[in-house]
Amino acid sequence: MPQTSPKTSVRERLLCAADRLFYNEGIRAVGIDRVLVEADAAKASLYSHFGGKDELIATYLSRRVQASRDNIDAFVADIPAAERAYRVFDFVIAWTESSDFRGCPLQHVVSELPSADHPARAVAAEQRQYLLDQFSSWSRAAGVRDVEQTAGALMVLFDGAVAAAEQDGSQRARDARWLAERLIRGG
């Protein structure tokens, strides 16, 4: 995520501080006062730009989601459509091997914010639907018989790979990629 400079807007400083702290330490573990100190911002700025911590969390997650979509789209751009459903797991492997990997921010938000009406939960649900739609599209391009069932299975593999990699390292993502390829190729 972007770093700040002295000319960075207060809104951007708040988002960068929230991103760094929420992703690395957890949403519930980080109080709003800590974000304000890290961002060198006043509480009034938080309320002016976001209305409170809940909207800051939702905006932080929205930025993570957009970055993820952009990265995935760029990664699969040169891969034949029929191979994307399993080759996207190569992206997951690279992500889980990166030095700043600390799990999936969506999974963290859902586990830390049990209230279904929290605005960040809507962001998470939208991203889940986006991923399911991508897996459906890629499965259709691969010519699988049951597109929806396959897409759902790929979501389970994706979720499991990312969650397990947080604890076990990238091998779980490699396992998921292996299975995804067999699922798509029918072997």
Side-chain angles (χ1 to χ4, degrees):
M1 289 282 119
Q3 297 297 312
T4 61
S5 73
K7 294 184 179 186
T8 305
S9 73
V10 172
R11 183 179 192 283
E12 186 64 19
R13 289 196 321 263
L14 284 163
L15 279 170
C16 287
D19 181 84
R20 197 169 46 255
L21 294 169
F22 292 162
Y23 184 68
N24 290 317
E25 299 179 26
I27 292 166
R28 291 211 181 258
V30 175
I32 204 60
D33 290 335
R34 176 108 181 275
V35 174
L36 294 171
V37 168
E38 292 275 331
D40 190 26
K43 196 172 272 191
S45 295
L46 169 75
Y47 292 114
S48 169
H49 290 287
F50 301 102
K53 186 177 180 182
D54 288 348
E55 285 302 322
L56 178 62
I57 294 166
T59 304
Y60 141 75
L61 192 61
S62 291
R63 282 175 37 140
R64 284 267 171 177
V65 161
Q66 189 58 56
S68 173
R69 288 181 186 186
D70 293 346
N71 290 334
I72 290 171
D73 289 347
F75 186 87
V76 301
D78 295 330
I79 295 173
E83 296 177 15
R84 290 179 182 175
Y86 64 89
R87 296 271 311 270
V88 73
F89 286 90
D90 294 330
F91 170 83
V92 175
I93 292 166
W95 177 35
T96 62
E97 289 178 342
S98 67
S99 62
D100 62 344
F101 176 75
R102 204 193 89 48
C104 177
L106 293 171
Q107 291 173 352
H108 294 173
V109 163
V110 170
S111 69
E112 288 192 68
L113 302 173
S115 175
D117 63 345
H118 192 285
R121 294 286 299 248
V123 174
E126 181 183 311
Q127 178 65 357
R128 304 246 337 125
Q129 186 61 53
Y130 166 82
L131 285 171
L132 184 61
D133 292 345
Q134 291 297 95
F135 280 128
S136 293
S137 173
W138 297 333
S139 295
R140 192 172 294 103
V144 302
R145 276 181 259 180
D146 191 337
V147 170
E148 298 311 312
Q149 188 74 37
T150 301
L154 290 166
M155 282 293 291
V156 170
L157 288 174
F158 182 91
D159 290 342
V162 175
E166 191 171 359
Q167 196 167 2
D168 299 340
S170 64
Q171 184 56 47
R172 298 298 74 87
R174 291 178 191 290
D175 295 341
R177 196 252 191 238
W178 179 86
L179 187 55
E181 184 172 4
R182 272 134 195 88
L183 180 64
I184 292 299
R185 292 192 174 196

